[in-house]
Amino acid sequence: MTQIERREFLTTLSLAGAATLFSGNALIAATAPKKDKLGIALVGLGYYSTDLLAPALQMTEKCYLAGIVTGTPAKAEAWKAKYKIPDKNIYNYQNFDQIANNPDIDVVYVVLPPSMHREFVVRAAKAGKHVFCEKPMAPSVADCEAMIAACKNNKVKLAIGYRCQHDPNIQAVMKVAKEQKFGKVKMINSAAGYFDGRTDHWKQKKALGGGVMGDMGVYALQGARLATGEEPISVIAQASTTRPDIYKEVEETMMFMLDFPSGARAACQTSFGINMNYLQVNYEKGWLKLEPQSGYLGNKGSMSDGTIINFPIKNQQAKQLDEDCLALMNQTDLMAPGEEGLRDIRVVEAIYKSVRSGKSVTI
């Protein structure tokens, strides 16, 4: 081998090594010792991470809080002290990609405004890390498809944070639909909303993925989809606000009617101005009620035959995290993969299209 050939060989080898590092080396992953617990890094340290996910990660059996990503140095110091996170596992949004070199971190959980989901899911995938992403998955179908493709191309898994699908109370509703215990679904009423007193939050800003369909609306939509076990085929929707000084760019309340292939219909309501959280399903031969239907805890209900739906769980987020991590460890299907998030956003796009046109839209 000549000196020039040797130099070219070494350059090629070096580039190949770098490419392998940032795409998640499959050989290293395959030969690495199996872990009893997966390390999770939370990206974004707002309310949901601070008050719900971090405490839940103190209760989990299959995963633990291994790292954080934040743009606020004061938060980094506070979390470091509270959770004993080593400096090497603390990142900001600029050096985030260096997480590729950190074997402590197996999963990156993106807990940012929806407009930022695509960027950080793609960056995490390119770093060779599995990704959990909060709902809603992203503001557009195109974003969702890019996120799914990035994870597939980098041979990592993507789960959407649909905590309710891990709740046995919601699973009871899904079971009734699957087994057709009361015959076919005829009509659904699904509502999810609360009064939000904030006036300057990402949920009120269009550029950040705000609007009620960028948050609570997905719960109302999921209630209808899970209760039928079907995907809607058309929708007609109406947006409104009672506080136009606050909801200048996005809707405060959305009402939408869904049609399903079986003939079932769903009337859905979601709002940042109204407290409501329930699901009622009327079948050919009975009914089911759940109230609340999407709380962090305490979801419960009943059926027309006297069956009580009440399966208390210790912590919904801990259950979600453990079950998703167990699926990664066992290489089994995730309960709510990226494709599930995409299904919702297809409907959300159709809802906004219906609002603009004032007409029913085929999905």
Side-chain angles (χ1 to χ4, degrees):
M1 183 181 289
T2 67
Q3 187 173 0
I4 293 175
E5 288 173 330
R6 178 178 172 79
R7 189 185 306 122
E8 288 176 347
F9 171 76
L10 291 172
T11 300
T12 302
L13 187 64
S14 176
L15 290 172
T20 296
L21 173 65
F22 285 99
S23 64
N25 190 320
L27 179 60
I28 292 174
T31 57
K34 278 200 168 186
K35 294 184 175 182
D36 294 327
K37 283 189 171 188
L38 299 184
I40 292 182
L42 297 177
V43 183
L45 305 183
Y47 161 75
Y48 196 70
S49 284
T50 301
D51 289 15
L52 294 157
L53 291 176
L57 281 162
Q58 310 313 302
M59 305 164 62
T60 46
E61 297 177 359
K62 301 299 179 184
C63 53
Y64 69 100
L65 178 60
I68 53 173
V69 183
T70 179
T72 308
K75 284 186 180 180
E77 286 301 316
W79 280 62
K80 173 185 173 182
K82 184 172 183 178
Y83 295 110
K84 297 179 174 55
I85 301 171
D87 287 333
K88 66 184 181 66
N89 291 0
I90 298 175
Y91 299 87
N92 57 44
Y93 299 127
Q94 287 71 44
N95 67 14
F96 169 77
D97 304 290
Q98 294 174 20
I99 210 165
N101 305 317
N102 194 331
D104 292 351
I105 294 166
D106 305 287
V107 180
V108 168
Y109 197 146
V110 178
V111 199
L112 295 164
S115 63
M116 301 173 72
H117 286 183
R118 175 177 176 171
E119 176 188 348
F120 282 89
V121 167
V122 170
R123 287 172 72 178
K126 287 181 177 179
K129 305 299 180 182
H130 297 298
V131 192
F132 297 164
C133 177
E134 254 314 297
K135 62 87 203 145
M137 186 173 175
S140 72
V141 166
D143 286 339
C144 295
E145 290 174 339
M147 292 156 70
I148 291 169
C151 290
K152 183 178 180 181
N153 292 341
N154 289 280
K155 296 179 173 57
V156 297
K157 297 290 187 180
L158 171 62
I160 309 303
Y162 286 116
R163 55 184 175 77
C164 288
Q165 292 197 23
H166 296 263
D167 189 322
N169 298 284
I170 305 300
Q171 291 169 358
V173 177
M174 298 165 68
K175 185 179 179 183
V176 172
K178 185 177 181 180
E179 296 177 353
Q180 294 200 343
K181 179 176 180 177
F182 302 117
K184 291 183 178 180
V185 176
K186 302 297 287 183
M187 176 61 78
I188 297 166
N189 280 280
S190 181
Y194 68 96
F195 184 86
D196 194 331
R198 292 171 293 192
T199 60
D200 187 26
H201 190 261
W202 71 259
K203 294 178 184 179
Q204 288 130 19
K205 298 175 182 178
K206 187 174 182 179
L208 295 180
V212 75
M213 288 308 302
D215 184 45
M216 296 304 291
V218 176
Y219 293 118
L221 172 56
Q222 281 263 310
R225 288 185 52 241
L226 300 181
T228 58
E230 297 182 285
E231 299 306 319
I233 55 175
S234 68
V235 63
I236 187 165
Q238 183 179 51
S240 63
T241 181
T242 59
R243 294 178 287 170
D245 54 320
I246 299 171
Y247 291 90
K248 298 185 283 284
E249 303 175 3
V250 296
E251 77 284 354
E252 177 187 33
T253 297
M254 186 76 79
M255 301 178 68
F256 53 100
M257 180 78 76
L258 300 168
D259 289 300
F260 291 87
S262 64
R265 305 196 82 189
C268 303
Q269 305 89 35
T270 184
S271 180
F272 284 143
I274 305 167
N275 290 313
M276 53 182 173
N277 199 308
Y278 59 83
L279 176 70
Q280 176 160 338
V281 189
N282 289 91
Y283 307 89
E284 291 174 305
K285 302 171 185 176
W287 53 261
L288 177 152
K289 295 178 182 178
L290 209 63
E291 188 170 4
Q293 70 151 321
S294 59
Y296 293 142
L297 289 172
N299 297 320
K300 59 185 178 180
S302 59
M303 303 182 200
S304 55
D305 65 354
T307 301
I308 300 299
I309 304 171
N310 187 8
F311 300 97
I313 55 176
K314 188 176 181 181
N315 185 286
Q316 203 178 62
Q317 284 81 8
K319 192 171 188 293
Q320 168 202 335
L321 288 160
D322 267 341
E323 290 179 352
D324 281 343
C325 285
L326 188 61
L328 294 178
M329 294 162 78
N330 292 338
Q331 298 183 25
T332 55
D333 291 340
L334 290 157
M335 190 172 293
E339 289 77 8
E340 173 70 354
L342 172 60
R343 284 188 277 269
D344 273 344
I345 300 307
R346 281 200 184 104
V347 181
V348 172
E349 280 198 351
I351 286 169
Y352 283 125
K353 185 176 180 181
S354 174
V355 169
R356 290 192 299 269
S357 68
K359 299 177 182 179
S360 177
V361 172
T362 300
I363 301 170

